[in-house]
Amino acid sequence: MLLKTNLCGMKLKNPLILASGIIGVTKASLKSAADSGAGAVTIKSISRERRKGHEPPIIATEGDVMINAVGYSNPGIEEAKMEFLRLSEVGVPVIASIIGKDAGEFAWMAKNFLPGEFSAVELPLSCPHTPGYGMLAGQGTPGATLEITKVVKKQTKLPVIVKLSPNIQALGDVAKAAEKAGADAINMGNTVGPGMFIDPKARKPVLTFGFGGLSGPAIKAIAVRCVYDVYKAVKIPVIGTGGVATGTDAAEMLMAGASAVGIGSAVHYRDVAVFGKIAKELSALMKDEGFSSVKEMIGIAHE
Ligand SMILES: Cc1cc2nc3c(=O)[nH]c(=O)nc-3n(C[C@H](O)[C@H](O)[C@H](O)COP(=O)(O)O)c2cc1C
């Protein structure tokens, strides 16, 4: 009860959302996150055609930091349409995630991949390691964000969430462009960097692609600062994503201004049961600190 909240019309039992790409390639994996306690779940990003992604190894960890260059491997729209049917069986709202090389492809994806079953759609304009998409395709500028968000809004009635990169300097300007174009929420944000690990024995980068986006507990302070900045810049709700692994981390995000909290790499650090664990920890923290609703915490660090 304490954790119940609302995001873009979605009724959530708690503010914890499975972030895109960690699991979420299948309906069964979405359900496992929901069963473990997630308030909502996001599918892995889907492109028009099937994509193989980068050559493995594509993920590596060193302590609190994870680095990935998955390269948007996904089955493509036709197979994804077959996979993500009867989504009410997942038990919590399911957020779609679509990618495109340009505004035209985003519009096409929105038109063709969003049947009535999804509760919202996310546009990651922010991947730092996939040529042709996100940051490497210039989608992180105010102009591109405005154009892509506008064309997607024309194609769907679903709430549109724009996912931004913590690498953007003028974050407020990009968030404002998304808001102006009609975005219903900002997801702040994607992975940091890119960065690189080198294997001293092999004398070359650990990831075959060379560099990848940083995630996990080590990026939390950057993500919290970005949420704080975006909360000041726009009126639409913000989903705080990056490095959240505990109830205290989730509370920090809410206090920075997030209305909901994305959780990705923590599934690796604390397994898929992480959603239930964080919900329990957040609820205990709220009781200790005298909060009676999530709403009371949102943006309180600004006061
Ligand atoms: C292995 C892996 C794959 C990811 N794939 C996607 C993806 O397909 N689409 C997307 O929008 N974000 C993707 N992300 C980014 C996450 O959704 C999240 O924004 C980021 O990892 C920061 O949150 P975290 O520290 O909780 O993981 C991926 C992250 C990881 C680690």
Side-chain angles (χ1 to χ4, degrees), residues 72-152:
Y72 281 141
S73 62
N74 80 90
I77 186 169
E78 289 311 322
E79 218 175 289
K81 268 184 177 169
M82 304 305 290
E83 180 62 34
F84 298 117
L85 290 172
R86 296 182 298 281
L87 290 178
S88 59
E89 289 168 12
V90 174
V92 299
V94 178
I95 301 168
S97 175
I98 55 172
I99 53 169
K101 291 204 162 93
D102 51 33
E105 199 167 271
F106 267 103
W108 189 92
M109 287 298 293
K111 187 169 177 189
N112 291 284
F113 183 56
L114 299 173
E117 302 203 44
F118 289 110
S119 297
V121 57
E122 186 164 277
L123 314 177
L125 307 182
S126 40
C127 178
H129 58 72
T130 307
Y133 295 90
M135 296 300 277
L136 300 188
Q139 294 173 356
T141 63
T145 301
L146 185 89
E147 187 192 5
I148 294 168
T149 310
K150 252 191 191 163
V151 297
V152 169

Side-chain angles (χ1 to χ4, degrees), residues 19-22 43-45 59 66 68 70 72 97 122 124 126 163 187 189-191 214-217 219 241-244 262-266:
S20 177
I22 313 300
I43 69 168
K44 182 164 174 49
S45 301
I59 303 178
M66 178 182 286
N68 95 82
V70 172
Y72 281 141
S97 175
E122 186 164 277
S126 40
K163 185 169 182 182
N187 184 343
N190 215 310
T191 50
L214 270 59
S215 62
I219 72 161
T241 308
V244 173
I263 294 169
S265 305

